[in-house]
Amino acid sequence: MAGLHVAASRVAPGGVAAYVRGKATRKGIPVRDLKIPGERHPEKARRADSAPQPKKPDWIRVKAPTSEGYKQTRDIMREHKLVTVCEEAGCPNVGECWSQGHATMMIMGEICTRGCTFCNVATGRPDALDVFEPGRVADAVKKLGLNHVVITSVDRDDVDDGGAAHFAQTIRAIRRQSPGTTIEILTPDFLKAKPGSLEVVVEAKPDVFNHNLETVPGLYPEVRPGARYFHSLRLLQRVKELDPSMFTKSGIMVGLGEDKQAVHQVMDDMRAADIDFLTIGQYLQPTNKHHAVDRFVTPEEFASYEKAARGKGFLMVSATPLTRSSYHAGEDFARLREARLAKLGA
Protein backbone atom coordinates (compact mmCIF):
# COMPACT_ATOMS: atom_id res chain seq x y z
CA MET A 1 0.00 0.00 0.00
CA ALA A 2 2.95 2.32 -0.63
CA GLY A 3 0.84 4.79 -2.60
CA LEU A 4 -1.84 5.22 0.02
CA HIS A 5 -2.94 8.73 1.01
CA VAL A 6 -5.02 8.58 4.20
CA ALA A 7 -7.39 10.87 6.04
CA ALA A 8 -7.28 11.27 9.80
CA SER A 9 -10.21 12.49 11.84
CA ARG A 10 -10.57 13.86 15.32
CA VAL A 11 -13.63 11.69 16.00
CA ALA A 12 -13.09 9.89 19.27
CA PRO A 13 -13.51 6.12 19.48
CA GLY A 14 -17.22 5.49 19.17
CA GLY A 15 -17.75 8.95 17.70
CA VAL A 16 -18.55 7.68 14.21
CA ALA A 17 -21.09 5.26 15.60
CA ALA A 18 -22.62 8.08 17.65
CA TYR A 19 -23.08 10.20 14.56
CA VAL A 20 -24.64 7.31 12.70
CA ARG A 21 -27.06 6.56 15.51
CA GLY A 22 -28.17 10.18 15.54
CA LYS A 23 -30.07 9.79 18.82
CA ALA A 24 -26.87 9.42 20.82
CA THR A 25 -25.57 12.21 23.02
CA ARG A 26 -22.14 13.50 23.91
CA LYS A 27 -22.02 14.89 27.46
CA GLY A 28 -25.80 15.17 27.36
CA ILE A 29 -25.88 17.16 24.10
CA PRO A 30 -27.69 15.50 21.16
CA VAL A 31 -25.26 14.57 18.40
CA ARG A 32 -26.19 15.48 14.83
CA ASP A 33 -26.55 12.67 12.34
CA LEU A 34 -24.21 13.86 9.60
CA LYS A 35 -25.77 11.44 7.12
CA ILE A 36 -28.95 13.52 7.13
CA PRO A 37 -28.58 16.55 4.78
CA GLY A 38 -30.71 18.77 7.00
CA GLU A 39 -28.43 18.14 9.97
CA ARG A 40 -25.23 17.99 7.96
CA HIS A 41 -25.97 21.32 6.25
CA PRO A 42 -28.21 23.34 8.61
CA GLU A 43 -27.19 26.56 6.83
CA LYS A 44 -28.82 25.25 3.64
CA ALA A 45 -32.06 24.03 5.21
CA ARG A 46 -34.01 27.15 4.21
CA ARG A 47 -32.68 27.21 0.67
CA ALA A 48 -35.24 26.40 -2.00
CA ASP A 49 -34.65 23.10 -3.72
CA SER A 50 -32.76 23.57 -6.95
CA ALA A 51 -34.10 22.25 -10.23
CA PRO A 52 -33.77 18.50 -10.73
CA GLN A 53 -30.24 17.62 -11.73
CA PRO A 54 -29.81 16.86 -15.42
CA LYS A 55 -29.15 13.25 -16.29
CA LYS A 56 -25.47 12.45 -16.06
CA PRO A 57 -23.84 11.71 -19.40
CA ASP A 58 -21.94 8.48 -19.95
CA TRP A 59 -18.55 10.12 -19.40
CA ILE A 60 -19.45 11.19 -15.86
CA ARG A 61 -20.83 7.92 -14.57
CA VAL A 62 -18.75 5.71 -12.31
CA LYS A 63 -19.25 2.16 -11.09
CA ALA A 64 -20.11 1.40 -7.49
CA PRO A 65 -16.95 0.40 -5.58
CA THR A 66 -16.71 -3.37 -5.06
CA SER A 67 -13.05 -4.31 -5.56
CA GLU A 68 -10.92 -6.06 -2.97
CA GLY A 69 -8.51 -3.12 -3.01
CA TYR A 70 -11.36 -0.78 -2.14
CA LYS A 71 -12.41 -3.01 0.74
CA GLN A 72 -8.85 -3.24 2.03
CA THR A 73 -8.49 0.55 2.03
CA ARG A 74 -11.85 0.93 3.73
CA ASP A 75 -10.84 -1.60 6.38
CA ILE A 76 -7.57 0.27 7.03
CA MET A 77 -9.53 3.49 7.47
CA ARG A 78 -11.82 1.88 10.00
CA GLU A 79 -9.03 0.01 11.81
CA HIS A 80 -7.06 3.23 12.36
CA LYS A 81 -10.18 5.30 13.12
CA LEU A 82 -9.51 7.51 10.10
CA VAL A 83 -11.97 9.52 8.03
CA THR A 84 -11.35 10.53 4.43
CA VAL A 85 -12.40 13.67 2.62
CA CYS A 86 -13.18 11.25 -0.19
CA GLU A 87 -16.22 10.16 1.81
CA GLU A 88 -16.99 13.50 3.45
CA ALA A 89 -17.07 15.37 0.14
CA GLY A 90 -18.71 12.54 -1.81
CA CYS A 91 -15.92 12.25 -4.38
CA PRO A 92 -16.93 10.26 -7.49
CA ASN A 93 -13.45 8.73 -7.73
CA VAL A 94 -13.58 6.96 -4.39
CA GLY A 95 -13.98 3.53 -6.01
CA GLU A 96 -11.00 3.95 -8.34
CA CYS A 97 -8.71 5.64 -5.83
CA TRP A 98 -9.46 3.36 -2.90
CA SER A 99 -9.01 0.29 -5.08
CA GLN A 100 -5.43 1.55 -5.58
CA GLY A 101 -4.96 2.49 -1.93
CA HIS A 102 -5.34 6.25 -2.47
CA ALA A 103 -7.31 8.58 -0.20
CA THR A 104 -6.87 12.14 1.11
CA MET A 105 -6.24 13.05 4.73
CA MET A 106 -8.50 15.59 6.43
CA ILE A 107 -7.25 17.16 9.65
CA MET A 108 -8.77 19.54 12.23
CA GLY A 109 -12.10 17.75 12.33
CA GLU A 110 -14.95 16.99 9.98
CA ILE A 111 -17.09 20.08 10.59
CA CYS A 112 -16.33 23.28 8.64
CA THR A 113 -17.04 26.84 9.74
CA ARG A 114 -17.94 27.86 6.17
CA GLY A 115 -21.09 27.08 4.19
CA CYS A 116 -20.05 27.07 0.53
CA THR A 117 -23.01 26.15 -1.66
CA PHE A 118 -21.06 23.54 -3.67
CA CYS A 119 -19.50 21.62 -0.79
CA ASN A 120 -20.75 18.47 0.93
CA VAL A 121 -18.51 18.72 4.01
CA ALA A 122 -20.63 19.32 7.14
CA THR A 123 -21.04 22.89 8.40
CA GLY A 124 -21.29 23.99 12.01
CA ARG A 125 -19.27 24.68 15.15
CA PRO A 126 -16.24 22.36 15.34
CA ASP A 127 -14.70 20.96 18.49
CA ALA A 128 -11.37 22.24 19.79
CA LEU A 129 -8.26 21.17 17.89
CA ASP A 130 -6.73 17.91 19.07
CA VAL A 131 -3.10 18.54 20.01
CA PHE A 132 -2.29 14.85 19.63
CA GLU A 133 -3.58 14.61 16.06
CA PRO A 134 -0.31 15.52 14.26
CA GLY A 135 1.48 12.67 16.01
CA ARG A 136 -1.28 10.19 15.20
CA VAL A 137 -1.27 11.25 11.56
CA ALA A 138 2.50 10.86 11.34
CA ASP A 139 2.30 7.45 12.98
CA ALA A 140 -0.32 6.31 10.45
CA VAL A 141 1.80 7.57 7.53
CA LYS A 142 4.81 5.63 8.83
CA LYS A 143 2.87 2.42 9.50
CA LEU A 144 1.32 2.50 6.04
CA GLY A 145 4.65 3.22 4.32
CA LEU A 146 3.36 6.12 2.23
CA ASN A 147 5.45 7.59 -0.58
CA HIS A 148 3.22 10.65 -1.00
CA VAL A 149 0.60 11.98 1.38
CA VAL A 150 -2.10 14.60 0.80
CA ILE A 151 -3.35 16.58 3.78
CA THR A 152 -6.39 18.82 3.64
CA SER A 153 -8.66 20.33 6.25
CA VAL A 154 -11.92 22.06 6.93
CA ASP A 155 -11.97 25.84 7.33
CA ARG A 156 -11.35 26.79 10.96
CA ASP A 157 -12.37 30.44 11.23
CA ASP A 158 -12.88 29.81 14.94
CA VAL A 159 -9.10 29.46 15.49
CA ASP A 160 -6.98 32.63 15.57
CA ASP A 161 -4.45 31.33 13.03
CA GLY A 162 -6.98 29.40 10.94
CA GLY A 163 -5.22 26.16 11.89
CA ALA A 164 -1.86 27.17 10.40
CA ALA A 165 0.18 25.93 13.35
CA HIS A 166 -1.73 22.65 13.30
CA PHE A 167 -0.84 22.18 9.62
CA ALA A 168 2.82 22.96 10.38
CA GLN A 169 2.93 20.57 13.32
CA THR A 170 1.44 17.81 11.17
CA ILE A 171 3.99 18.40 8.39
CA ARG A 172 6.91 18.36 10.85
CA ALA A 173 5.63 15.25 12.59
CA ILE A 174 5.46 13.40 9.26
CA ARG A 175 8.95 14.60 8.33
CA ARG A 176 10.36 13.24 11.59
CA GLN A 177 8.84 9.80 11.21
CA SER A 178 8.85 9.45 7.40
CA PRO A 179 11.57 11.70 5.96
CA GLY A 180 11.24 10.10 2.51
CA THR A 181 7.52 10.85 2.17
CA THR A 182 6.57 13.81 0.00
CA ILE A 183 3.84 16.02 1.46
CA GLU A 184 1.11 17.88 -0.40
CA ILE A 185 -1.21 20.19 1.51
CA LEU A 186 -4.59 21.57 0.43
CA THR A 187 -5.24 24.48 2.76
CA PRO A 188 -8.05 26.87 3.64
CA ASP A 189 -7.65 30.53 2.65
CA PHE A 190 -6.73 31.79 6.15
CA LEU A 191 -8.95 34.79 5.37
CA LYS A 192 -9.71 35.56 9.02
CA ALA A 193 -6.40 34.35 10.45
CA LYS A 194 -3.98 36.61 12.25
CA PRO A 195 -1.03 38.08 10.30
CA GLY A 196 1.86 35.68 9.77
CA SER A 197 -0.28 32.53 9.69
CA LEU A 198 0.57 31.62 6.10
CA GLU A 199 4.28 32.03 6.84
CA VAL A 200 3.99 29.40 9.61
CA VAL A 201 2.74 26.82 7.08
CA VAL A 202 5.28 27.66 4.39
CA GLU A 203 8.16 27.48 6.91
CA ALA A 204 7.21 23.86 7.58
CA LYS A 205 8.27 23.08 3.97
CA PRO A 206 5.50 21.03 2.35
CA ASP A 207 6.46 19.83 -1.13
CA VAL A 208 3.24 21.10 -2.75
CA PHE A 209 1.07 23.96 -1.50
CA ASN A 210 -2.45 23.68 -2.91
CA HIS A 211 -5.32 26.07 -2.37
CA ASN A 212 -8.32 25.92 -4.69
CA LEU A 213 -9.90 29.01 -6.22
CA GLU A 214 -12.91 26.72 -6.88
CA THR A 215 -14.71 28.91 -9.45
CA VAL A 216 -14.54 32.11 -11.49
CA PRO A 217 -14.70 35.42 -9.55
CA GLY A 218 -18.16 36.35 -10.83
CA LEU A 219 -19.68 33.29 -9.14
CA TYR A 220 -18.05 33.78 -5.72
CA PRO A 221 -21.05 35.52 -4.08
CA GLU A 222 -23.31 32.52 -4.74
CA VAL A 223 -20.82 29.64 -4.75
CA ARG A 224 -18.14 30.61 -2.24
CA PRO A 225 -19.72 33.48 -0.24
CA GLY A 226 -17.35 33.24 2.73
CA ALA A 227 -14.23 33.63 0.57
CA ARG A 228 -12.63 36.31 -1.60
CA TYR A 229 -11.23 35.50 -5.03
CA PHE A 230 -8.31 37.92 -5.00
CA HIS A 231 -7.39 37.00 -1.44
CA SER A 232 -7.08 33.35 -2.47
CA LEU A 233 -5.08 34.31 -5.52
CA ARG A 234 -2.78 36.52 -3.47
CA LEU A 235 -2.29 33.73 -0.91
CA LEU A 236 -0.85 31.47 -3.61
CA GLN A 237 1.29 34.27 -5.00
CA ARG A 238 2.61 34.94 -1.50
CA VAL A 239 3.65 31.30 -1.11
CA LYS A 240 5.92 31.67 -4.15
CA GLU A 241 7.36 34.89 -2.77
CA LEU A 242 8.16 33.19 0.52
CA ASP A 243 9.64 30.07 -1.08
CA PRO A 244 10.17 30.16 -4.87
CA SER A 245 11.16 26.47 -4.86
CA MET A 246 7.80 25.31 -3.48
CA PHE A 247 5.32 23.91 -5.99
CA THR A 248 1.95 25.68 -5.97
CA LYS A 249 -1.30 24.22 -7.17
CA SER A 250 -4.90 25.34 -7.55
CA GLY A 251 -8.11 24.13 -9.12
CA ILE A 252 -11.55 25.14 -10.26
CA MET A 253 -14.83 23.39 -11.02
CA VAL A 254 -16.77 23.97 -14.22
CA GLY A 255 -20.46 23.48 -14.89
CA LEU A 256 -21.52 26.01 -12.24
CA GLY A 257 -22.61 28.68 -14.72
CA GLU A 258 -19.27 30.15 -15.79
CA ASP A 259 -18.36 30.89 -19.42
CA LYS A 260 -15.18 29.99 -21.28
CA GLN A 261 -13.84 33.53 -21.25
CA ALA A 262 -14.03 33.62 -17.45
CA VAL A 263 -12.19 30.27 -17.20
CA HIS A 264 -9.40 31.57 -19.43
CA GLN A 265 -9.17 34.71 -17.29
CA VAL A 266 -8.71 32.56 -14.18
CA MET A 267 -5.89 30.73 -15.96
CA ASP A 268 -4.21 34.06 -16.73
CA ASP A 269 -4.66 35.18 -13.10
CA MET A 270 -3.11 31.95 -11.86
CA ARG A 271 -0.11 32.27 -14.16
CA ALA A 272 0.37 35.88 -13.02
CA ALA A 273 0.58 34.41 -9.49
CA ASP A 274 3.16 31.87 -10.76
CA ILE A 275 1.00 28.83 -9.97
CA ASP A 276 2.58 25.62 -11.28
CA PHE A 277 -0.27 23.11 -11.42
CA LEU A 278 -3.88 23.63 -12.52
CA THR A 279 -6.76 21.18 -12.05
CA ILE A 280 -10.19 21.55 -13.69
CA GLY A 281 -13.07 19.16 -13.00
CA GLN A 282 -16.82 18.88 -13.43
CA TYR A 283 -18.99 20.14 -10.59
CA LEU A 284 -21.41 17.53 -9.27
CA GLN A 285 -24.28 18.58 -7.03
CA PRO A 286 -24.30 16.76 -3.64
CA THR A 287 -27.97 17.41 -2.74
CA ASN A 288 -30.93 19.43 -4.02
CA LYS A 289 -30.06 22.12 -1.46
CA HIS A 290 -26.65 22.72 -3.03
CA HIS A 291 -25.81 24.89 -6.03
CA ALA A 292 -27.41 23.50 -9.16
CA VAL A 293 -25.42 21.95 -11.99
CA ASP A 294 -25.63 24.40 -14.89
CA ARG A 295 -24.40 21.89 -17.48
CA PHE A 296 -22.10 18.93 -18.00
CA VAL A 297 -18.97 20.08 -19.79
CA THR A 298 -17.91 17.72 -22.58
CA PRO A 299 -14.57 15.88 -22.63
CA GLU A 300 -13.70 17.83 -25.79
CA GLU A 301 -14.11 21.13 -23.95
CA PHE A 302 -11.96 19.85 -21.09
CA ALA A 303 -9.30 18.93 -23.64
CA SER A 304 -9.42 22.45 -25.05
CA TYR A 305 -8.98 23.89 -21.55
CA GLU A 306 -5.95 21.66 -20.98
CA LYS A 307 -4.40 22.69 -24.28
CA ALA A 308 -4.93 26.37 -23.51
CA ALA A 309 -3.53 26.02 -19.99
CA ARG A 310 -0.39 24.29 -21.19
CA GLY A 311 0.06 27.07 -23.73
CA LYS A 312 -0.10 29.60 -20.91
CA GLY A 313 2.86 27.99 -19.18
CA PHE A 314 1.55 25.72 -16.41
CA LEU A 315 4.01 22.94 -15.55
CA MET A 316 1.14 20.50 -15.03
CA VAL A 317 -2.52 20.49 -16.04
CA SER A 318 -5.23 17.97 -15.23
CA ALA A 319 -8.54 18.81 -16.92
CA THR A 320 -11.10 16.01 -17.18
CA PRO A 321 -14.70 15.60 -16.00
CA LEU A 322 -13.62 13.51 -13.00
CA THR A 323 -10.49 15.48 -12.08
CA ARG A 324 -10.33 16.41 -8.40
CA SER A 325 -7.60 18.18 -6.39
CA SER A 326 -5.95 15.02 -5.10
CA TYR A 327 -6.78 12.71 -8.01
CA HIS A 328 -3.59 10.80 -8.94
CA ALA A 329 -1.66 13.20 -6.68
CA GLY A 330 1.39 10.99 -6.19
CA GLU A 331 1.86 10.28 -9.89
CA ASP A 332 1.22 13.92 -10.76
CA PHE A 333 3.83 15.10 -8.26
CA ALA A 334 6.47 12.97 -9.98
CA ARG A 335 5.48 14.47 -13.34
CA LEU A 336 5.53 17.95 -11.81
CA ARG A 337 9.15 17.54 -10.72
CA GLU A 338 10.10 16.17 -14.12
CA ALA A 339 8.41 19.10 -15.86
CA ARG A 340 10.33 21.62 -13.74
CA LEU A 341 13.64 19.87 -14.41
CA ALA A 342 12.88 19.81 -18.14
CA LYS A 343 12.04 23.52 -18.07
CA LEU A 344 15.22 24.37 -16.19
CA GLY A 345 17.21 22.24 -18.60
CA ALA A 346 15.69 24.05 -21.57
Side-chain angles (χ1 to χ4, degrees), residues 202-218:
V202 175
E203 287 170 4
K205 297 286 186 181
D207 295 283
V208 181
F209 192 109
N210 185 0
H211 171 65
N212 286 331
L213 297 185
E214 306 293 7
T215 187
V216 302

Side-chain angles (χ1 to χ4, degrees), residues 69-143:
Y70 170 87
K71 294 174 183 177
Q72 289 173 8
T73 301
R74 181 195 59 194
D75 291 345
I76 289 173
M77 298 299 113
R78 304 297 182 260
E79 177 186 352
H80 293 275
K81 297 182 174 63
L82 306 175
V83 173
T84 67
V85 73
C86 317
E87 293 178 293
E88 295 301 312
C91 180
N93 301 317
V94 64
E96 177 189 348
C97 293
W98 282 29
S99 68
Q100 300 172 16
H102 298 172
T104 298
M105 178 177 302
M106 187 166 72
I107 60 173
M108 299 197 287
E110 60 187 347
I111 298 178
C112 186
T113 55
R114 303 275 179 93
C116 298
T117 62
F118 68 87
C119 185
N120 199 38
V121 173
T123 301
R125 179 179 295 178
D127 293 333
L129 295 178
D130 182 350
V131 297
F132 299 106
E133 182 179 56
R136 290 203 312 273
V137 171
D139 187 55
V141 170
K142 182 178 180 180
K143 287 180 180 178

